[in-house]
Amino acid sequence: MIIRTDCRCCRGESLIEVFNLGEQPYANAYLSAEQLGLPEQRCSLVLCECADCGMIQLRHVVDATDLFSNYSFLTGSSQRMVRHFAELMRENIARYVPANGLVVEIGSNDGTALSTIPSERCRRLGIDPARNLSDIAHERNVPYITEFFTEILARKVLQSHGSASLIVACNVMGHVDDLDDLCRGVKLLLHPDGALVIEVPCANWMLSRTEFDTIYHEHLSYFGIRPLATLFSRHGLRVTQIRTQEVHGGSVRLTMLHGEGHSGQVTPWVEGEMRQRDWTAFGGRCEESRERFIRWLTKARDGGRLVVGYGAPAKATVRLNYCNIGTDLLPLVVDSTPNKQGKFIPGTHQPICDPSRIEEQITSDVVILAWNHEQEITTKLAGYKANGGRVSSVITLPGN
Ligand code: TYD
């Protein structure tokens, strides 16, 4: 673990602490039954804001190899995300990739996005350090390099495959400590007429929607447009398009080309995002949200109702730990990801079971912890609801 003292977008050194979630376990470090009795690794979760460009980043940077060599989230487990990425690929390949051109995806997870591209249309290459995910991608016949994307790797790919007409990096920039190295790699690998397309959750929505549970050790950065535009222009890449996306609690998709001078879309975004930030109000809303969740669970338990949490994403670990909710208030969570089942939530120790447990056991209340997949999960619970079960989302629980 290192403490970062400069901004990873503009390299300024005026970082101001704006929010502190205390010592927290690693959100994706699901525990086996044997690990339950052992001490758990914890690390501070402190957000800092750059006084120069407005970048928001964690003060403590955990060693990436600890966090990413075995990654639990599979993009393919959400049909909505599969459709989202298929569309992104279709649209950008039509625009930027000639026949047999190269598409590189950085942080390609289980190969879901690349597998939506017909292999006869263009060449595909996934790059992701998670070994367990590359096995799945290989089964889908997606060419894959199991490594972190760096300038050194970009040079090797350039030699072996030639330049890339399209480089896609969705939900990956926030995980990378050395963004200069990533940008140098992109600059090197990207064809002169090629495009870089990234997606990142939008920091201002995180604030305005009180999405504190998206803050965890893997998410080193919480971007606005200004820090990103600053970063890319330092590397000779210009932002040509910004589009909002309703995934992961509110994201932005940016397209970059080689060259200088950002699109006229950038200035209004930058002005808006600096005006909207109020950390004191955010802190107050996080407290309220915690109190509301505890009150709701306590009332359910005291009323003899059994509550099950739906989804064991990293954000569930953060919320349950921030709210200090043990198995007395929430005895069980379910998740469709096979390698999470049979394990336990870090810190608060709820067992993670197959979602079929909801139908098997007469559960009176389901609270959706994976709130960014609410619609998809609610649809799956139609039968349960028809039998009298109640379904709520953790972010819209009633006040009393
Ligand atoms: P994700 O959206 O990646 O959140 P985070 O980035 O906070 O980890 O994770 C979603 C989780 O929800 C994942 O573990 C799979 C689970 N899930 C279900 O169990 N059932 C579903 O129908 C869907 C869509 C997701």
Side-chain angles (χ1 to χ4, degrees), residues 218-262:
E218 282 97 327
H219 287 173
L220 300 174
S221 303
Y222 304 80
F223 294 103
I225 300 301
R226 183 173 172 201
L228 284 170
T230 309
L231 172 75
F232 289 124
S233 58
R234 284 178 45 234
H235 290 277
L237 293 164
R238 64 190 180 94
V239 179
T240 58
Q241 192 181 54
I242 305 172
R243 263 160 59 177
T244 54
Q245 304 288 326
E246 267 303 321
V247 292
H248 290 295
S251 295
V252 279
R253 179 183 299 171
L254 270 68
T255 306
M256 270 69 59
L257 306 177
H258 285 287
E260 310 283 316
H262 298 306

Side-chain angles (χ1 to χ4, degrees), residues 73 77-78 216 248 310 312-315 335-337 340 370 372-373 376-377 380:
F73 176 63
S77 66
S78 162
Y216 47 87
H248 290 295
Y310 204 114
K315 57 175 71 65
D335 194 287
S336 60
T337 317
K340 290 184 185 177
N372 49 324
H373 301 288
E376 199 164 336
I377 291 171
K380 287 184 184 164

Side-chain angles (χ1 to χ4, degrees), residues 59-74:
R59 173 173 292 154
H60 301 80
V61 178
V62 174
D63 187 357
T65 342
D66 289 351
L67 298 177
F68 297 116
S69 18
N70 195 345
Y71 203 58
S72 320
F73 176 63
L74 307 182

Side-chain angles (χ1 to χ4, degrees), residues 3 15 18 30 39 59 72 97 117 125 149 157 191 196 206 219 280 337 342 344 356 378:
I3 293 191
L15 297 181
V18 284
Y30 302 96
R59 173 173 292 154
S72 320
V97 186
I117 310 170
L125 181 64
F149 180 83
V157 173
H191 185 276
L196 164 69
M206 189 263 284
H219 287 173
T280 311
T337 317
F344 296 80
S356 60
T378 309

Side-chain angles (χ1 to χ4, degrees), residues 1 13 61 102 138 142 162 169 222 242 266 277 280 285 313 383 389 391:
M1 191 271 295
E13 295 193 346
V61 178
L102 177 65
H138 281 307
V142 172
Y222 304 80
I242 305 172
V266 169
R277 290 189 187 158
T280 311
R285 289 197 305 275
V391 180

